[in-house]
Amino acid sequence: MPKIPAMCDRCGKVQTSEVSIRDATMHIRDHSEGPCPCGGTFRLLDGTYVHLGGPINLCNAPEDDIARFKRALRELAAC
């Protein structure tokens, strides 16, 4: 099941979160995933996540956050 990336609010590090979505639409706001080694907190970006069989998409979010989300997906795919 595809998992949503989480980003540190302090250093920007990306990791796979524990939140997964499959064939659904999910609205997320103010979700934290725990501490980052830098002292920050891993968080999911606020917005609407959609998974309908293809890649996870983020919508109903600021353009900057959508760009950050896409970069996070690329970074996790490269690992």
Side-chain angles (χ1 to χ4, degrees):
M1 190 171 297
K3 295 197 175 205
I4 297 172
M7 287 157 266
C8 177
D9 58 7
R10 187 174 194 184
C11 71
K13 181 178 177 175
V14 177
Q15 73 175 19
T16 303
S17 76
E18 294 300 316
V19 178
S20 59
I21 180 173
R22 184 174 182 172
D23 298 328
T25 298
M26 182 184 301
H27 306 286
I28 295 178
R29 182 175 165 91
D30 297 328
H31 180 88
S32 64
E33 281 286 306
C36 179
C38 77
T41 301
F42 283 105
R43 299 185 185 281
L44 301 185
L45 295 171
D46 291 349
T48 302
Y49 292 85
V50 178
H51 178 265
L52 299 174
I56 299 172
N57 290 303
L58 173 63
C59 51
N60 293 334
E63 289 296 319
D64 289 346
D65 283 353
I66 292 172
R68 287 175 56 206
F69 175 76
K70 289 178 180 179
R71 279 192 305 271
L73 288 177
R74 285 193 301 271
E75 186 176 323
L76 289 173
C79 293

XYZ file of all heavy atoms in Angstrom:
597
model
N 0.852 -1.174 0.000
C 0.000 0.000 0.000
C 0.900 1.240 0.000
O 1.807 1.331 0.812
C -0.886 -0.033 1.244
C -1.967 1.006 1.205
S -3.207 0.863 2.518
C -3.948 -0.703 2.185
N 0.664 2.193 -0.895
C 1.511 3.389 -0.978
C 1.451 4.226 0.307
O 0.392 4.419 0.885
C 0.915 4.171 -2.145
C 0.134 3.177 -2.926
C -0.339 2.162 -1.933
N 2.627 4.692 0.730
C 2.722 5.516 1.936
C 3.049 6.957 1.545
O 3.734 7.210 0.571
C 3.773 4.965 2.876
C 3.372 3.589 3.384
C 4.147 3.203 4.588
C 3.606 1.874 5.094
N 3.838 1.681 6.466
N 2.562 7.884 2.348
C 2.735 9.312 2.099
C 4.071 9.754 2.698
O 4.385 9.385 3.829
C 1.559 10.100 2.714
C 0.255 9.680 2.025
C 1.781 11.595 2.596
C -0.993 10.245 2.669
N 4.865 10.549 1.972
C 6.133 11.016 2.526
C 5.928 12.048 3.633
O 4.986 12.834 3.601
C 6.852 11.639 1.331
C 5.807 11.938 0.335
C 4.683 10.982 0.591
N 6.831 12.009 4.605
C 6.848 12.993 5.690
C 8.140 13.790 5.564
O 9.184 13.240 5.186
C 6.785 12.299 7.039
N 8.076 15.085 5.868
C 9.237 15.957 5.763
C 9.507 16.635 7.093
O 8.571 17.039 7.787
C 8.995 17.015 4.694
C 9.053 16.428 3.298
S 8.158 17.415 2.117
C 6.603 16.570 2.156
N 10.784 16.764 7.428
C 11.157 17.439 8.661
C 10.898 18.937 8.505
O 11.289 19.540 7.503
C 12.627 17.200 8.989
S 13.171 18.091 10.467
N 10.258 19.513 9.516
C 9.939 20.938 9.465
C 11.145 21.820 9.785
O 11.066 23.034 9.693
C 8.770 21.275 10.392
C 9.017 20.912 11.844
O 10.144 20.512 12.215
O 8.058 21.013 12.635
N 12.271 21.194 10.126
C 13.465 21.961 10.461
C 14.563 21.820 9.403
O 15.058 22.812 8.902
C 13.988 21.506 11.811
C 15.115 22.337 12.333
C 15.456 21.879 13.731
N 16.306 22.843 14.377
C 16.806 22.659 15.570
N 16.515 21.560 16.240
N 17.574 23.563 16.101
N 14.939 20.578 9.070
C 16.051 20.369 8.129
C 15.600 19.959 6.731
O 16.394 19.964 5.798
C 17.023 19.332 8.676
S 16.408 17.631 8.682
N 14.336 19.554 6.575
C 13.822 19.172 5.259
C 14.035 17.718 4.891
O 13.655 17.297 3.802
N 14.644 16.926 5.773
C 14.848 15.500 5.493
C 13.510 14.833 5.195
O 12.483 15.188 5.767
C 15.512 14.827 6.699
C 15.790 13.367 6.489
C 16.481 12.764 7.693
C 16.659 11.271 7.454
N 17.421 10.641 8.506
N 13.546 13.849 4.296
C 12.330 13.149 3.877
C 12.404 11.688 4.313
O 13.454 11.065 4.234
C 12.173 13.216 2.338
C 10.971 12.429 1.870
C 12.089 14.653 1.873
N 11.279 11.171 4.780
C 11.175 9.750 5.085
C 9.760 9.279 4.751
O 8.850 10.084 4.614
C 11.489 9.451 6.546
C 10.415 9.880 7.524
C 10.730 9.441 8.947
O 11.866 9.133 9.277
N 9.716 9.408 9.785
N 9.600 7.979 4.636
C 8.281 7.409 4.402
C 7.517 7.436 5.721
O 8.029 7.023 6.750
C 8.400 5.965 3.899
O 9.187 5.967 2.713
C 7.040 5.387 3.579
N 6.289 7.929 5.686
C 5.472 7.993 6.896
C 4.788 6.653 7.140
O 4.888 5.730 6.329
C 4.413 9.094 6.764
O 3.364 8.660 5.919
N 4.071 6.577 8.223
C 3.276 5.391 8.534
C 1.870 5.478 7.931
O 1.092 4.543 8.031
C 3.180 5.200 10.044
C 4.520 4.869 10.686
C 5.124 3.590 10.124
O 4.401 2.589 9.960
O 6.332 3.605 9.841
N 1.549 6.615 7.303
C 0.223 6.829 6.733
C 0.197 6.296 5.306
O 0.986 6.723 4.461
C -0.170 8.319 6.758
C -1.535 8.527 6.124
C -0.143 8.856 8.173
N -0.700 5.380 5.038
C -0.824 4.826 3.689
C -2.214 5.133 3.133
O -3.163 5.378 3.871
C -0.562 3.324 3.702
O -1.471 2.677 4.547
N -2.272 5.118 1.826
C -3.536 5.387 1.133
C -3.594 4.479 -0.088
O -2.593 4.275 -0.766
C -3.637 6.878 0.753
C -4.947 7.182 0.037
C -2.457 7.311 -0.074
C -5.184 8.665 -0.219
N -4.765 3.937 -0.331
C -4.933 3.074 -1.509
C -6.349 3.218 -2.023
O -7.321 3.009 -1.286
C -4.666 1.625 -1.147
C -4.741 0.731 -2.362
C -4.324 -0.655 -2.015
N -4.369 -1.463 -3.225
C -3.927 -2.678 -3.303
N -3.390 -3.246 -2.261
N -4.013 -3.334 -4.429
N -6.453 3.597 -3.294
C -7.750 3.738 -3.961
C -8.718 4.580 -3.143
O -9.867 4.183 -2.909
C -8.356 2.361 -4.257
C -7.495 1.550 -5.206
O -6.837 2.167 -6.066
O -7.466 0.325 -5.086
N -8.234 5.731 -2.681
C -9.057 6.580 -1.823
C -8.612 8.041 -1.924
O -7.596 8.358 -2.531
C -8.949 6.121 -0.382
N -9.381 8.899 -1.285
C -9.058 10.308 -1.108
C -9.009 10.563 0.387
O -9.886 10.114 1.121
C -10.138 11.203 -1.757
O -10.171 10.926 -3.155
C -9.855 12.669 -1.533
N -7.965 11.259 0.839
C -7.777 11.489 2.271
C -7.401 12.954 2.498
O -6.512 13.478 1.835
C -6.652 10.568 2.765
C -6.366 10.640 4.227
S -4.950 9.595 4.687
C -5.497 7.979 4.173
N -8.065 13.605 3.427
C -7.768 14.982 3.793
C -6.921 14.952 5.060
O -7.334 14.355 6.066
C -9.048 15.772 4.035
C -10.008 15.701 2.886
N -9.806 16.391 1.711
C -11.143 14.998 2.722
C -10.800 16.111 0.886
N -11.622 15.263 1.470
N -5.752 15.584 5.003
C -4.835 15.565 6.151
C -4.486 16.996 6.533
O -4.195 17.835 5.674
C -3.561 14.771 5.827
C -3.923 13.309 5.587
C -2.526 14.921 6.941
C -2.762 12.433 5.205
N -4.487 17.235 7.846
C -4.114 18.543 8.378
C -3.441 18.336 9.737
O -3.918 17.550 10.562
C -5.347 19.418 8.524
C -5.052 20.806 9.024
C -6.314 21.645 9.014
N -6.140 22.821 9.802
C -5.696 23.984 9.327
N -5.421 24.088 8.048
N -5.549 25.014 10.117
N -2.332 19.028 9.941
C -1.617 19.011 11.231
C -1.246 17.605 11.695
O -1.434 17.252 12.863
C -2.440 19.703 12.323
C -2.674 21.171 12.038
O -1.789 21.804 11.423
O -3.734 21.681 12.415
N -0.680 16.798 10.801
C -0.288 15.431 11.165
C 1.231 15.371 11.337
O 1.980 15.680 10.416
C -0.720 14.443 10.082
C -0.350 13.033 10.409
N -1.179 12.211 11.135
C 0.755 12.321 10.135
C -0.597 11.038 11.284
N 0.589 11.088 10.685
N 1.682 14.952 12.517
C 3.119 14.778 12.739
C 3.429 13.296 12.877
O 2.607 12.507 13.339
C 3.577 15.552 13.976
O 2.968 15.057 15.134
N 4.639 12.933 12.463
C 5.071 11.534 12.454
C 6.128 11.234 13.502
O 6.546 10.107 13.628
C 5.643 11.186 11.072
C 4.601 10.930 10.040
C 3.905 9.608 10.222
O 4.557 8.561 10.299
O 2.675 9.618 10.290
N 6.615 12.222 14.195
C 7.621 11.972 15.219
C 8.860 12.818 15.015
O 8.957 13.603 14.074
N 9.833 12.651 15.916
C 11.013 13.503 15.891
C 12.011 13.118 14.804
O 12.142 11.956 14.438
C 11.617 13.298 17.275
C 11.187 11.929 17.681
C 9.827 11.744 17.066
N 12.722 14.123 14.340
C 13.836 13.957 13.406
C 15.124 14.050 14.240
O 15.135 14.758 15.257
C 13.782 15.073 12.360
S 15.119 15.015 11.143
N 16.186 13.390 13.837
C 17.439 13.485 14.586
C 17.961 14.924 14.754
O 18.681 15.211 15.704
C 18.426 12.652 13.760
C 17.569 11.674 13.034
C 16.284 12.402 12.754
N 17.560 15.838 13.871
C 18.032 17.224 13.955
C 17.319 18.014 15.054
O 17.702 19.139 15.362
C 17.854 17.939 12.622
S 16.154 18.451 12.279
N 16.265 17.448 15.628
C 15.486 18.141 16.641
C 14.152 18.659 16.126
O 13.328 19.138 16.890
N 13.940 18.568 14.825
C 12.668 18.966 14.230
C 11.644 17.847 14.319
O 11.870 16.831 14.994
N 10.542 18.020 13.613
C 9.463 17.026 13.617
C 9.104 16.665 12.182
O 8.944 17.547 11.341
C 8.212 17.597 14.318
O 8.566 17.962 15.647
C 7.090 16.578 14.360
N 8.980 15.364 11.916
C 8.505 14.917 10.615
C 7.008 15.180 10.544
O 6.254 14.818 11.447
C 8.780 13.425 10.404
C 10.204 13.130 10.074
C 11.048 12.584 11.013
C 10.704 13.409 8.812
C 12.365 12.310 10.711
C 12.016 13.134 8.487
C 12.861 12.584 9.447
N 6.569 15.819 9.457
C 5.159 16.167 9.270
C 4.716 15.824 7.850
O 5.514 15.827 6.925
C 4.934 17.658 9.492
C 5.288 18.121 10.871
C 4.925 19.589 11.092
N 5.384 20.033 12.386
C 4.776 19.790 13.537
N 3.666 19.093 13.555
N 5.272 20.241 14.670
N 3.417 15.568 7.712
C 2.817 15.444 6.392
C 2.335 16.826 5.988
O 1.866 17.603 6.833
C 1.631 14.481 6.411
C 1.906 13.056 6.870
C 0.655 12.218 6.706
C 3.052 12.433 6.144
N 2.441 17.139 4.714
C 1.934 18.419 4.230
C 0.413 18.423 4.303
O -0.233 17.406 4.024
C 2.391 18.654 2.793
C 3.902 18.803 2.611
C 4.249 18.799 1.121
C 4.401 20.072 3.264
N -0.161 19.545 4.684
C -1.612 19.680 4.728
C -2.173 19.680 3.314
O -1.603 20.311 2.413
C -2.018 21.001 5.400
C -1.708 21.031 6.886
O -1.384 19.981 7.453
O -1.793 22.129 7.462
N -3.264 18.972 3.113
C -3.915 18.963 1.812
C -4.741 17.715 1.611
O -4.987 16.949 2.542
N -5.153 17.509 0.390
C -5.952 16.347 0.010
C -5.076 15.400 -0.791
O -4.512 15.787 -1.819
C -7.170 16.777 -0.830
O -7.945 17.706 -0.069
C -8.028 15.586 -1.203
N -4.946 14.180 -0.305
C -4.154 13.150 -0.977
C -5.102 12.224 -1.714
O -6.125 11.808 -1.169
C -3.336 12.359 0.046
C -2.256 13.198 0.689
C -2.529 13.991 1.792
C -0.966 13.196 0.179
C -1.546 14.769 2.377
C 0.029 13.963 0.757
C -0.272 14.750 1.855
O 0.711 15.511 2.424
N -4.730 11.897 -2.947
C -5.571 11.049 -3.790
C -4.719 9.919 -4.351
O -3.629 10.154 -4.884
C -6.192 11.859 -4.954
C -7.027 10.959 -5.845
C -7.005 13.026 -4.432
N -5.222 8.710 -4.232
C -4.595 7.549 -4.861
C -5.709 6.753 -5.516
O -6.609 6.257 -4.842
C -3.876 6.680 -3.838
C -3.281 5.464 -4.463
N -3.922 4.251 -4.484
C -2.114 5.288 -5.109
C -3.167 3.376 -5.114
N -2.064 3.968 -5.503
N -5.660 6.684 -6.818
C -6.679 5.935 -7.574
C -5.996 4.960 -8.513
O -6.229 4.954 -9.714
C -7.590 6.896 -8.331
C -8.375 7.872 -7.449
C -9.139 8.879 -8.296
C -9.324 7.122 -6.540
N -5.097 4.144 -7.972
C -4.426 3.121 -8.756
C -3.080 3.532 -9.304
O -2.246 2.701 -9.573
N -2.818 4.817 -9.456
C -1.531 5.304 -9.955
C -0.706 5.864 -8.814
O -0.799 5.394 -7.685
N 0.079 6.882 -9.100
C 0.867 7.496 -8.031
C -0.018 8.306 -7.079
O -1.129 8.711 -7.433
C 1.841 8.407 -8.773
C 1.175 8.695 -10.077
C 0.349 7.482 -10.400
N 0.486 8.543 -5.879
C -0.220 9.404 -4.927
C -0.102 10.839 -5.418
O 0.967 11.269 -5.859
C 0.400 9.298 -3.528
C 0.303 7.881 -2.992
C -0.282 10.272 -2.569
C 1.066 7.662 -1.705
N -1.179 11.577 -5.337
C -1.182 12.993 -5.711
C -1.613 13.821 -4.514
O -2.409 13.385 -3.698
C -2.149 13.250 -6.865
C -1.656 12.650 -8.149
O -0.571 12.954 -8.602
N -2.442 11.754 -8.723
N -1.068 15.040 -4.442
C -1.471 16.013 -3.432
C -2.184 17.138 -4.158
O -1.668 17.684 -5.138
C -0.249 16.557 -2.689
C -0.488 17.706 -1.712
C -1.400 17.271 -0.569
C 0.830 18.229 -1.179
N -3.364 17.484 -3.713
C -4.101 18.595 -4.304
C -4.745 19.410 -3.191
O -4.639 19.057 -2.018
C -5.127 18.115 -5.328
S -6.229 16.831 -4.748
N -5.388 20.497 -3.541
C -5.965 21.415 -2.559
C -4.910 21.852 -1.549
O -5.146 21.867 -0.346
C -7.168 20.813 -1.836
C -8.343 20.610 -2.764
O -8.475 21.311 -3.762
N -9.181 19.653 -2.464
N -3.727 22.180 -2.069
C -2.612 22.638 -1.253
C -1.905 23.749 -2.032
O -2.045 23.841 -3.257
C -1.648 21.488 -0.983
N -1.139 24.591 -1.349
C -0.385 25.637 -2.060
C 0.583 25.022 -3.073
O 1.117 23.922 -2.854
C 0.377 26.349 -0.937
C -0.393 26.049 0.308
C -0.986 24.684 0.101
N 0.823 25.741 -4.155
C 1.713 25.249 -5.223
C 3.096 24.886 -4.694
O 3.690 23.899 -5.125
C 1.840 26.279 -6.346
C 0.579 26.426 -7.186
C 0.228 25.144 -7.936
O 1.131 24.461 -8.465
O -0.972 24.817 -7.975
N 3.625 25.670 -3.750
C 4.936 25.370 -3.165
C 4.927 24.021 -2.454
O 5.892 23.269 -2.539
C 5.367 26.461 -2.183
C 5.742 27.761 -2.865
O 5.933 27.767 -4.102
O 5.851 28.777 -2.158
N 3.850 23.721 -1.741
C 3.746 22.432 -1.053
C 3.617 21.278 -2.043
O 4.190 20.205 -1.822
C 2.561 22.416 -0.086
C 2.845 23.182 1.196
O 4.003 23.613 1.396
O 1.901 23.356 1.998
N 2.895 21.495 -3.121
C 2.771 20.446 -4.146
C 4.146 20.164 -4.760
O 4.520 19.009 -4.959
C 1.729 20.840 -5.217
C 0.327 20.841 -4.583
C 1.786 19.886 -6.413
C -0.766 21.394 -5.466
N 4.927 21.212 -5.013
C 6.281 21.036 -5.548
C 7.164 20.294 -4.534
O 7.932 19.397 -4.914
C 6.883 22.383 -5.911
N 7.065 20.633 -3.252
C 7.833 19.935 -2.207
C 7.439 18.466 -2.133
O 8.284 17.580 -1.978
C 7.593 20.591 -0.849
C 8.277 21.918 -0.686
C 7.941 22.609 0.622
N 8.241 21.770 1.768
C 7.630 21.878 2.945
N 6.678 22.778 3.135
N 7.962 21.103 3.948
N 6.140 18.190 -2.265
C 5.645 16.820 -2.235
C 6.220 16.011 -3.402
O 6.700 14.892 -3.216
C 4.114 16.834 -2.293
C 3.489 15.481 -2.397
C 3.399 14.653 -1.300
C 2.979 15.037 -3.600
C 2.818 13.396 -1.393
C 2.396 13.788 -3.709
C 2.316 12.965 -2.603
N 6.222 16.588 -4.592
C 6.758 15.892 -5.769
C 8.255 15.631 -5.623
O 8.741 14.560 -5.991
C 6.461 16.694 -7.033
C 4.990 16.660 -7.399
C 4.708 17.490 -8.627
C 3.225 17.455 -8.978
N 2.916 18.275 -10.152
N 8.998 16.611 -5.071
C 10.431 16.407 -4.824
C 10.646 15.284 -3.813
O 11.550 14.454 -3.968
C 11.085 17.692 -4.314
C 11.426 18.679 -5.399
C 12.327 19.792 -4.915
N 11.817 20.513 -3.761
C 11.035 21.582 -3.810
N 10.655 22.063 -4.983
N 10.641 22.176 -2.709
N 9.815 15.241 -2.769
C 9.935 14.192 -1.755
C 9.699 12.814 -2.363
O 10.431 11.865 -2.058
C 8.944 14.450 -0.616
N 8.701 12.700 -3.233
C 8.435 11.413 -3.893
C 9.629 10.978 -4.736
O 10.025 9.807 -4.721
C 7.181 11.494 -4.760
C 5.848 11.553 -4.039
C 4.713 11.712 -5.054
C 5.619 10.324 -3.177
N 10.221 11.920 -5.470
C 11.388 11.602 -6.308
C 12.563 11.171 -5.430
O 13.275 10.213 -5.741
C 11.778 12.783 -7.176
C 10.854 13.019 -8.360
C 11.435 13.994 -9.358
N 11.717 15.302 -8.788
C 10.869 16.325 -8.726
N 9.653 16.186 -9.199
N 11.232 17.470 -8.211
N 12.765 11.883 -4.323
C 13.868 11.548 -3.420
C 13.699 10.159 -2.828
O 14.648 9.384 -2.762
C 13.942 12.601 -2.307
C 15.129 12.437 -1.399
C 15.229 13.539 -0.374
O 14.917 14.701 -0.690
O 15.613 13.225 0.774
N 12.498 9.822 -2.397
C 12.258 8.495 -1.832
C 12.383 7.398 -2.884
O 12.836 6.298 -2.573
C 10.866 8.446 -1.180
C 10.740 9.244 0.116
C 9.280 9.261 0.566
C 11.642 8.690 1.211
N 12.005 7.684 -4.108
C 12.095 6.694 -5.187
C 13.553 6.412 -5.536
O 13.905 5.307 -5.960
C 11.349 7.174 -6.421
N 14.433 7.383 -5.331
C 15.847 7.235 -5.653
C 16.589 6.402 -4.606
O 17.689 5.928 -4.856
C 16.503 8.608 -5.772
N 15.998 6.218 -3.443
C 16.665 5.463 -2.356
C 16.596 3.973 -2.583
O 15.744 3.418 -3.096
C 16.020 5.797 -1.007
S 16.291 7.486 -0.510
